[in-house]
């Protein structure tokens, strides 16, 4: 694929003797919303952290916009981790200022407007907020950047259905349309309606990578139904919880 935004070649990552990714070959173009789909321990978080530069591959290579992972690519990647990363003593505006200082593509006015749509003001403290509201604030910070690549690790896990709808609307209406959104999740039925492509990851290997239309045409069923068949032998699906 010419002009691939994400490119992985024979990518392996092991933790000691335990493999997390095994020979991943992947290309994803710009302007896409892509689901990185798999159960607990499939390697989703590991792949995202490699693309962020938070981990180094054991062997193989990966690139963002044709460049090896480094300061240049990190400046163009907006990362939403699967856990909270800010302190309760902070005010919302402290987060705004932090992102504004770090990222030249951060839109201060946009993030203020998105937070106010949640009923959150810049002077509000984080400590009294519910877990769901904190997660939404963390999401809008990531989406207020004009990034080339948005890496969202389990953005709808642990929130109620109404919050999931808000999160998906926020993603759809606020990402840089010349960039790509990679959404890691096991909640397939919730995200299927917004996806252009799906990547099925199982035990560190890509089982399937195709457009949503191709999958529906070839398989004659939804992404969720196909996912359940491929992973039906696995235990109950859950978030990766900081694991592989």
């Amino acid at each position: 694929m010419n002009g691939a935004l994400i490119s992985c070649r024979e990518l392996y990552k092991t933790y000691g003797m335990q493999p997390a990714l095994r020979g991943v070959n992947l290309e994803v173009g710009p302007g896409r919303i892509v689901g990185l789909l798999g159960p607990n321990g499939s390697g989703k978080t590991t792949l995202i952290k490699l693309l962020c530069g938070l981990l180094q591959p054991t062997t193989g290579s990966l690139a963002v916009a044709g460049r090896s992972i480094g300061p240049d690519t990190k400046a163009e990647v907006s990362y939403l981790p699967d856990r909270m990363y800010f302190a309760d003593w902070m005010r919302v505006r402290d987060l705004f200022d932090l992102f504004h200082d770090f990222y030249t593509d951060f839109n201060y006015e946009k993030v203020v407007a998105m937070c106010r749509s949640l009923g959150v003001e810049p002077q509000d403290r984080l400590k009294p907020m519910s877990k769901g509201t904190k997660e939404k604030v963390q999401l809008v910070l990531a989406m207020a950047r004009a990034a080339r690549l948005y890496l969202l690790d389990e953005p709808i896990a642990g929130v109620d259905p109404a919050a999931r709808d808000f999160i998906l609307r926020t993603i759809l209406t606020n990402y840089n349309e010349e960039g790509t959104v990679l959404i890691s999740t096991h909640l397939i039925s919730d995200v299927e309606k917004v996806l252009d492509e799906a990547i099925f990851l199982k035990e560190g290997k890509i089982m399937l990578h195709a457009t949503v239309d191709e999958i529906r045409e070839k398989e004659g069923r939804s992404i969720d139904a196909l996912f359940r068949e491929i992973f039906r032998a696995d235990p109950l699906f859950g978030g990766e919880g900081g694991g592989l």
Side-chain angles (χ1 to χ4, degrees), residues 136 139 155-156 159 162-172:
K136 291 175 188 175
L139 172 71
I156 61 174
V159 298
R164 291 175 192 170
D165 288 342
F166 171 86
I167 288 168
L168 292 175
R169 285 197 307 271
T170 300
I171 293 169
L172 276 174

Side-chain angles (χ1 to χ4, degrees), residues 42-175:
S42 59
K44 303 189 303 293
T45 293
T46 294
L47 179 56
I48 284 177
K49 287 184 175 180
L50 285 165
L51 289 166
C52 290
L54 297 175
L55 294 173
Q56 296 297 314
T58 303
T59 60
S61 65
L62 71 163
V64 171
R67 292 175 290 182
S68 298
I69 306 303
D72 289 342
T73 62
K74 289 179 182 180
E76 296 188 327
V77 171
S78 186
Y79 171 46
L80 177 69
D82 62 346
R83 60 186 61 193
M84 296 295 168
Y85 60 82
F86 45 68
D88 274 349
W89 59 262
M90 301 177 79
R91 294 182 186 270
V92 175
R93 65 169 175 252
D94 296 327
L95 296 172
F96 295 171
D97 292 342
L98 183 66
F99 269 62
H100 187 260
D101 287 344
F102 268 86
Y103 303 112
T104 59
D105 60 3
F106 182 70
N107 189 323
Y108 203 102
E109 292 74 20
K110 184 176 184 178
V111 78
V112 170
M114 285 195 288
C115 276
R116 283 179 173 158
S117 74
L118 299 172
V120 174
E121 294 293 331
Q123 70 272 15
D124 290 348
R125 290 191 179 276
L126 298 169
K127 187 171 184 178
M129 292 182 186
S130 68
K131 179 176 181 288
T133 299
K134 290 176 183 177
E135 289 179 348
K136 291 175 188 175
V137 169
Q138 193 164 278
L139 172 71
V140 299
L141 284 164
M143 300 313 298
R145 292 184 54 201
R148 294 283 302 278
L149 179 61
Y150 300 84
L151 300 173
L152 311 181
D153 196 357
E154 296 286 359
I156 61 174
V159 298
D160 60 63
R164 291 175 192 170
D165 288 342
F166 171 86
I167 288 168
L168 292 175
R169 285 197 307 271
T170 300
I171 293 169
L172 276 174
T173 57
N174 290 285
Y175 79 100

